[in-house]
Amino acid sequence: MFVLETIVLFLLVTCVTHYVVFRWKRQRLYALAEKLPGHEGFSIWESFFMILTVHRKDYITKVLTYIKDDAKITKIWLLKNLVIMTKDADFINKVFNSQHTIDKPELFYDAFLVKRGLIAINGEDQKVHRKIFTKSFTTKVLQTLPKIFDENSKRIVKLLESKVNCGEFEFTDYAGSYSFDTLGSSNLNYSEKDHFKSDLFYAFEKFSPIMVDILPYIVVGFTRKNLRYINIGKRIEEIFKVFDNYLNEVINNNRKSPCKDENKLIFSLLDPKNGFDEEDIRDEFITMILGAFETTTKIISSALMMLGIHQNAQHKLMQEIEEIFINGDDTTLTIDFLNKFQFMEAVIKETMRLFTVAPILARKASEEVEIDGYVIPKGTAFLLAIDAMHKDEKYWGKDANLFKPERFLETLAYPQAYAPFSGGRRMCIGFRYAMISMKIFFINFLRSYKVNCSSKFEELETEMTMTLNFVKGYKVSIERR
Ligand code: HEM
């Protein structure tokens, strides 16, 4: 009996000591958090309760419902983590541009499972990786892309012939194949194979929903290693097997006939001078495809749905395309030539505003930092609600929820309220690349086909996971011009 009492007492004293030390070490965090506006009583138990009761698919949406409309920022506690949420354009831009909020919080980004990839990597390593990859996205390099993208898009346009007058079909299969091919043939040297609905294509398609599924596990401290024993972890391992097989194939091919173009990402990844180890190479390879694949695919597909629904916008865009080509312009696709398509650019920008493919971005305070008069404790995570900012009437007017590309032909009242590619030092490295690839796709596609969509704009339902998706898919029908 005495032994049992001693053990219980010992455990009790250990727990209390741990708790007291834990609280003591975080004194300043609690003191500063106290002064921040927001949800006061979100205890550890409530956080657990939310994780257990909310469907994973609605996890992010649920957290965002705590954003207070009348406050610039709203704090919540997610377990032991202090999180600040905001949809305020000025605050968001200050976070983008502060040198103390460049890092990404592991709390959310560990779910990407690519710790060494540019999307999740932090600190000095981020600067080194970003510098190395920037040379693949310079204007000089981008100028070589239109020719490659022209060929890629013409292949997809040809593939689409089988869908003419065949009713509605899922467009992301085709847009996805295009996004895949463009990256493969321009930067990653995996173009020899046709990736239309290949294993690799499907592995990437499955990867994004899985990241949301594992988010609650990551928040409570699971890693890829200990997830392995449960079903979801097994699914992850299967996907990574496909990634690894493919990467090995690419590496072996490049060893046999090494890529000589030092501006290509694959060259930088495999160049011993850059000192990337196996994990760096794998995580960057996946990051680049992940960064380019789903984003470009979803924006191309949503923009075509918008054109199918808003036939007047499609008509206006066709007029622009015809005028530019008929006016005797050089039809060699160059960046200067693409810059002439102003209405097309407006359509793409409006689509990215309404259907922000990365609806929430996150950052972490690597130091204690003052932003807009609030002192934010070191380690705080920021959830930046870009999608909500993009639809806020305060910035976009009463018609904020309507598809109106023309607004981008005028000077925006609040340009800082638009950030589909994020901002500051972590802004999308491929944003110009993406615009070139999307414009070329639309030129070749729209010169061949008219697009229709039977969905009603007001009835389109979206769901917010790591990315924003249409619940019923991206369905359009096409007819020949
Ligand atoms: C419509 C197309 C695209 C959209 C809307 C988009 C959007 C974004 C956003 C919002 C971020 C910031 C993510 C964050 O802060 O967590 C990002 C980062 C990134 N994107 Fe894109 N992206 C697009 C296309 C591309 C393409 C084509 C590539 C590559 C060729 C690419 C590669 C990356 C990479 C590597 C990052 C991480 C950058 C860093 O943290 O330093 N993206 N993208």
Side-chain angles (χ1 to χ4, degrees):
M1 195 62 189
F2 176 72
V3 176
L4 186 68
E5 276 168 5
T6 314
I7 291 173
V8 171
L9 191 68
F10 174 75
L11 285 176
L12 205 69
V13 171
T14 312
C15 288
V16 171
T17 314
H18 266 91
Y19 183 69
V20 171
V21 172
F22 176 78
R23 296 284 305 189
W24 183 76
K25 277 192 184 161
R26 291 160 57 97
Q27 278 179 85
R28 184 153 177 82
L29 167 71
Y30 293 127
L32 293 176
E34 185 90 359
K35 295 188 187 134
L36 300 171
H39 196 73
E40 301 300 334
F42 212 69
S43 69
I44 287 184
W45 305 116
E46 277 177 288
S47 309
F48 259 125
F49 181 71
M50 192 178 87
I51 287 171
L52 292 176
T53 54
V54 175
H55 190 283
R56 286 178 208 142
K57 209 158 53 57
D58 302 324
Y59 191 61
I60 296 173
T61 318
K62 172 74 186 171
V63 170
L64 289 180
T65 58
Y66 288 96
I67 293 191
K68 290 191 170 159
D69 255 342
D70 50 350
K72 201 171 249 256
I73 61 170
T74 309
K75 75 157 184 249
I76 59 160
W77 288 94
L78 270 185
L79 303 181
K80 63 181 179 27
N81 308 287
L82 177 62
V83 179
I84 286 184
M85 303 187 296
T86 181
K87 56 174 181 156
D88 182 88
D90 294 330
F91 196 90
I92 287 178
N93 278 278
K94 283 178 185 151
V95 172
F96 279 158
N97 294 312
S98 162
Q99 52 163 327
H100 299 306
T101 52
I102 293 169
D103 283 353
K104 308 275 184 83
E106 293 80 3
L107 176 65
F108 305 113
Y109 281 85
D110 278 2
F112 282 71
L113 302 173
V114 283
K115 273 187 187 201
R116 302 290 303 162
L118 207 46
I119 197 98
I121 199 169
N122 281 338
E124 280 307 305
D125 286 348
Q126 190 270 339
K127 283 191 206 153
V128 173
H129 282 220
R130 177 105 188 181
K131 196 166 166 218
I132 290 170
F133 292 125
T134 299
K135 77 171 197 283
S136 300
F137 294 92
T138 60
T139 306
K140 195 169 154 236
V141 174
L142 294 180
Q143 267 157 352
T144 63
L145 300 179
K147 190 173 171 292
I148 303 168
F149 294 171
D150 190 35
E151 283 164 18
N152 293 145
S153 57
K154 282 181 173 149
R155 191 180 77 79
I156 301 296
V157 165
K158 196 152 188 294
L159 211 59
L160 279 162
E161 270 172 17
S162 64
K163 293 288 175 189
V164 171
N165 299 333
C166 283
E168 294 201 327
F169 61 97
E170 178 60 43
F171 201 81
T172 50
D173 288 344
Y174 295 85
S177 185
Y178 172 66
S179 318
F180 229 80
D181 288 354
T182 48
L183 198 63
S185 46
S186 63
N187 257 321
L188 290 180
N189 264 11
Y190 58 72
S191 58
E192 319 79 54
K193 269 194 179 173
D194 180 359
H195 281 286
F196 185 65
K197 299 186 180 179
S198 68
D199 286 354
L200 189 63
F201 180 95
Y202 280 125
F204 274 99
E205 220 175 45
K206 282 188 213 146
F207 193 42
S208 174
I210 281 219
M211 290 193 294
V212 191
D213 286 350
I214 60 167
L215 195 55
Y217 295 95
I218 298 289
V219 171
V220 296
F222 276 82
T223 61
R224 178 176 158 197
K225 215 169 172 186
N226 44 40
L227 277 173
R228 241 168 239 194
Y229 305 103
I230 55 177
N231 197 18
I232 191 166
K234 289 180 188 146
R235 272 160 55 209
I236 291 169
E237 294 316 309
E238 274 167 27
I239 291 179
F240 268 78
K241 212 177 202 172
V242 179
F243 291 162
D244 287 344
N245 282 347
Y246 204 79
L247 180 58
N248 288 339
E249 213 176 293
V250 171
I251 293 176
N252 288 339
N253 281 349
N254 271 276
R255 291 222 167 99
K256 271 187 233 140
S257 54
C259 167
K260 296 199 178 65
D261 182 351
E262 59 176 49
N263 292 322
K264 286 200 176 191
L265 284 169
I266 193 73
F267 183 94
S268 303
L269 278 177
L270 302 179
D271 186 356
K273 272 208 294 270
N274 290 331
F276 288 153
D277 63 18
E278 227 173 85
E279 193 185 349
D280 287 321
I281 297 174
R282 206 248 349 249
D283 285 5
E284 285 299 11
F285 182 80
I286 297 172
T287 296
M288 282 301 159
I289 303 183
L290 206 61
F293 174 60
E294 194 176 346
T295 50
T296 320
T297 304
K298 297 266 160 75
I299 297 300
I300 289 180
S301 309
S302 333
L304 283 185
M305 279 177 79
M306 288 304 102
L307 293 175
I309 294 172
H310 303 89
Q311 288 292 332
N312 51 347
Q314 186 173 172
H315 182 69
K316 202 164 159 183
L317 179 50
M318 259 332 280
Q319 269 182 331
E320 178 178 85
I321 295 175
E322 277 163 10
E323 270 165 33
I324 293 173
F325 276 92
I326 286 169
N327 280 347
D329 261 310
D330 178 10
T331 47
T332 316
L333 298 176
T334 59
I335 294 181
D336 283 345
F337 181 72
L338 293 173
N339 285 340
K340 295 181 184 185
F341 294 84
Q342 287 299 305
F343 188 67
M344 180 182 290
E345 191 156 322
V347 168
I348 297 173
K349 284 182 171 166
E350 181 68 341
T351 306
M352 292 195 292
R353 182 185 73 82
L354 279 177
F355 308 109
T356 311
V357 85
I360 313 285
L361 300 176
R363 295 286 187 273
K364 185 177 82 175
S366 50
E367 296 296 332
E368 187 172 301
V369 55
E370 190 180 326
I371 300 178
D372 253 1
Y374 297 106
V375 182
I376 315 282
K378 181 177 173 180
T380 304
F382 296 88
L383 279 184
L384 313 174
I386 307 297
D387 174 66
M389 174 177 83
H390 279 175
K391 289 177 185 145
D392 195 330
E393 291 188 3
K394 187 165 74 187
Y395 306 123
W396 300 95
K398 288 264 171 272
D399 57 4
N401 281 305
L402 297 183
F403 179 76
K404 217 181 125 194
E406 289 77 9
R407 72 176 92 233
F408 281 98
L409 298 175
E410 293 153 20
T411 311
L412 293 177
Y414 288 91
Q416 69 274 34
Y418 187 63
F421 291 110
S422 169
R425 290 240 308 262
R426 297 303 288 256
M427 184 175 176
C428 174
I429 201 168
F431 78 102
R432 290 199 293 159
Y433 177 110
M435 286 306 276
I436 297 171
S437 102
M438 291 190 285
K439 279 185 170 178
I440 292 181
F441 185 84
F442 289 131
I443 292 173
N444 285 324
F445 174 87
L446 288 166
R447 292 183 86 196
S448 299
Y449 307 117
K450 178 172 181 281
V451 60
N452 299 306
C453 177
S454 67
S455 307
K456 299 228 173 345
F457 181 75
E458 320 71 66
E459 289 169 12
L460 284 175
E461 255 183 275
T462 54
E463 65 184 16
M464 203 184 294
T465 55
M466 286 289 196
T467 52
L468 191 91
N469 307 296
F470 288 126
V471 175
K472 293 189 180 141
Y474 297 72
K475 304 268 188 325
V476 295
S477 62
I478 57 173
E479 54 190 282
R480 224 180 289 281
R481 283 224 181 259

